[in-house]
Every structure is written in C-alpha cells, then in structure tokens.
Amino acid sequence: MAKKIQKRMPRRREEFTYRGYSVADLQQMALSELLPLMPARARRKFDRGLSREHEKLLADLRSGDEQIRTHLRDMIIMPEMLGRTIEIHNGKEFQKVEIQPEAVFHYLGEFALTRRRVSHGSAGIGATRSSKYVPLK
C-alpha cells in the first residue's frame, strides 16, 4: 500500500473587512458615510463634535508627521490612521502602538495599558508560619 503524501498549503489570511467594507473602502469614505458604521458611543462622540486637541491630532496624522505622541487616550481610531505608529501615554511613559485594521473605531487608550501584571514573590519573613523555613540567602 502506497501512502499518499499531501502537501499542506500555507494558510491564507483573509482580508480584513469591517461590516462588509474593506480597509481601502473605509479609507475612501467621508465621515458622513462612516457614521452609520460606527458603534453608538463613537458615533455620539463625532455627532457632538471633536475637541480642539482631537482635531489637532487628526491634522497631524493627515500632514504625515513621522513621530506622533499623544495623551489623548479617548481618541477614536479612524480608518485614515491605519498603518501609522503612534506613541500613546499610559500615565508613566509613551508606548509605541502600530494601528492595525482590527483596531478601527476602538479607542487609542485600549492599546496602551495603564496597569502591569502582578507577579507576587515569596512571603516575607514572619508573614506566615511556613515562612520560618524560607532560606534567607
């Protein structure tokens, strides 16, 4: 019996779509066309109008600045931001974040975490009954 050897084809990653629209379609749409596609919270933010700082950030992105640093964690990620690297402040330092297509209409702050993972060490001396047996060094 001869065994048939099958070659595995590399998995092809599907092109990203947001509610049926490709990234190129989203980037070409005007704001009025994007509004119905946005989640309610993002749509409300744009209906009420962006602040001066948010408008300045969008203008900096459109002008093609290489390095963009911002404290505006509440800025909605627009399709025109895709592929850019933005430094977002997390309360202590700026974290570089590359904007991926999956991040469309999320907030910038979701990608620069403000808290670290907690990794607890061993108990201190006298903290528990068993800590008597923890070697000092």
Side-chain angles (χ1 to χ4, degrees):
M1 291 170 105
K3 249 187 177 176
K4 210 175 194 183
I5 299 174
Q6 291 180 342
K7 286 187 176 180
R8 283 196 164 181
M9 296 297 290
R11 287 190 75 178
R12 202 178 81 209
R13 187 172 178 199
E14 288 185 24
E15 183 181 335
F16 176 78
T17 59
Y18 184 82
R19 300 192 182 186
Y21 294 95
S22 69
V23 173
D25 294 339
L26 289 172
Q27 288 177 333
Q28 292 174 353
M29 287 183 181
L31 183 61
S32 59
E33 297 170 328
L34 285 173
L35 281 175
L37 299 176
M38 289 182 183
R41 175 56 57 184
R43 190 169 51 244
R44 183 170 194 259
K45 184 177 186 96
F46 280 95
D47 282 342
R48 291 175 148 226
L50 294 176
S51 69
R52 219 179 264 154
E53 293 87 14
H54 290 87
E55 292 288 349
K56 184 181 180 310
L57 177 62
L58 280 176
D60 289 346
L61 284 163
R62 289 178 182 140
S63 70
D65 288 348
E66 288 300 315
Q67 183 180 15
I68 296 178
R69 294 180 131 199
T70 184
H71 285 260
L72 298 175
R73 300 172 55 81
D74 63 336
M75 179 64 191
I76 307 281
I77 295 174
M78 300 300 291
E80 61 195 69
M81 297 181 186
L82 296 179
R84 302 292 305 269
T85 300
I86 301 174
E87 294 185 33
I88 305 167
H89 199 259
N90 69 355
K92 181 179 179 183
E93 60 193 12
F94 287 93
Q95 291 184 346
K96 283 190 178 186
V97 175
E98 185 179 348
I99 308 297
Q100 301 290 327
E102 291 81 11
V104 172
F105 302 132
H106 285 261
Y107 291 93
L108 287 177
E110 294 179 43
F111 302 100
L113 301 179
T114 58
R115 297 182 182 99
R116 292 190 183 140
R117 284 187 64 109
V118 176
S119 59
H120 297 287
S122 60
I125 297 173
T128 62
R129 302 274 294 153
S130 62
S131 65
K132 293 179 197 173
Y133 307 107
V134 175
L136 294 175
K137 282 209 179 187

